[in-house]
Amino acid sequence: LYLLASSARGIQHTAVRGAHRKHEPTFHDKYGTMVLLGGASMFTAVWTYVFTSLNVEWGISPVGRVTPSEWRE
């Protein structure tokens, strides 16, 4: 019983000590959103450049472009 009580007191003491400590912002707290937005905009810019510089015809269909060759026997 004593072991449980001392263990519970230790947990309470640790919780109280953590609650009174000031929270210092980490790198992710300070810059996380900006890094995420910067990465998303860079990703979008790079892929936009790639897709527009390749001159890809989207939605290509062979109808009207492919003519069947003559049948040889």
Side-chain angles (χ1 to χ4, degrees), residues 2-68:
Y2 174 74
L3 184 61
L4 271 171
S6 67
S7 144
R9 263 186 267 131
I11 292 171
Q12 284 176 339
H13 180 70
T14 303
V16 167
R17 187 176 31 172
H20 288 297
R21 190 178 64 194
K22 287 188 176 181
H23 175 71
E24 297 177 6
T26 62
F27 176 83
H28 297 286
D29 294 333
K30 288 181 182 178
Y31 309 110
T33 306
M34 293 307 293
V35 169
L36 180 67
L37 291 175
S41 62
M42 191 66 178
F43 176 86
T44 304
V46 166
W47 282 109
T48 301
Y49 173 76
V50 167
F51 284 138
T52 55
S53 66
L54 287 181
N55 295 328
V56 176
E57 293 185 23
W58 298 104
I60 58 174
S61 171
V63 176
R65 295 184 185 176
V66 177
T67 57

